[in-house]
Amino acid sequence: MYDSIILRNVSRLMFPILLLLSLFMLVRGHNLPGGGFIGGLLAASAFILQIIAYGPMYLRTTFQINFLNLAAFGVIFAALWGLVGLVTGQAYMLAFWLKEPIPGIGKLGTPVLFDVGVYLTVIGVTTQLALVLAEEPTLYPIQRPPARRDAVAPEA
């Protein structure tokens, strides 16, 4: 964590912008560059920016999201939309689309829902990795009380 007022203000401003951009990349990603992976990385970068600016405890207390559970839910959610093909007697991961595109969103189908699962998985895994690294005691040592004077020093 860096103690910088500029970084904190920029991270506070960038957080909603990065989340909105990640949702845009998720929705538009099926027909254009983007998708669940890139959108998830953008959302995770918003959370990681909060970790850098405020520290890992801020993220844990403010958002109270279990990122491992989010990743697990994303994997299950993505896998479930692949089962639609099996249920209908066809191949796993076969795409099904609505006939008419939704205005403002575009075509909606099982691949988009699969991308939502990928999106949640990438957010969960990437942010959890960043939290574990940020909470590593060798990287960010916890302040310890000063050593006692009467303690015996180890022999060299």
Side-chain angles (χ1 to χ4, degrees):
M1 180 181 107
Y2 297 103
D3 191 20
S4 167
I5 192 165
I6 296 171
L7 178 63
R8 289 181 180 193
N9 285 326
V10 168
S11 71
R12 190 174 304 145
L13 290 173
M14 290 299 295
F15 184 73
I17 294 170
L18 285 171
L19 287 182
L20 285 175
L21 182 62
S22 75
L23 288 174
F24 176 76
M25 294 299 280
L26 169 67
V27 172
R28 296 295 296 172
H30 189 71
N31 296 324
L32 297 171
F37 190 80
I38 295 173
L41 284 178
L42 277 170
S45 68
F47 288 116
I48 291 170
L49 188 60
Q50 300 300 307
I51 293 172
I52 294 170
Y54 295 101
M57 281 307 292
Y58 172 80
L59 187 70
R60 288 195 186 277
T61 56
T62 303
F63 296 101
Q64 297 183 355
I65 298 171
N66 187 333
F67 290 100
L68 282 181
N69 286 345
L70 182 68
F73 177 77
V75 168
I76 293 169
F77 188 79
L80 283 178
W81 290 106
L83 293 174
V84 174
L86 287 179
V87 171
T88 58
Q90 298 174 0
Y92 180 72
M93 301 290 278
L94 186 69
F96 292 93
W97 295 94
L98 292 177
K99 293 182 180 176
E100 296 297 322
I102 297 174
I105 295 178
K107 294 173 27 179
L108 189 60
T110 54
V112 176
L113 297 170
F114 175 80
D115 269 351
V116 171
V118 171
Y119 177 81
L120 296 175
T121 302
V122 170
I123 291 173
V125 169
T126 307
T127 307
Q128 183 65 35
L129 281 173
L131 276 172
V132 168
L133 287 173
E135 292 172 339
E136 177 66 30
T138 57
L139 294 175
Y140 297 97
I142 299 171
Q143 290 185 344
R144 301 186 196 301
R148 295 185 345 216
R149 290 183 180 203
D150 59 338
V152 178
E155 295 182 23

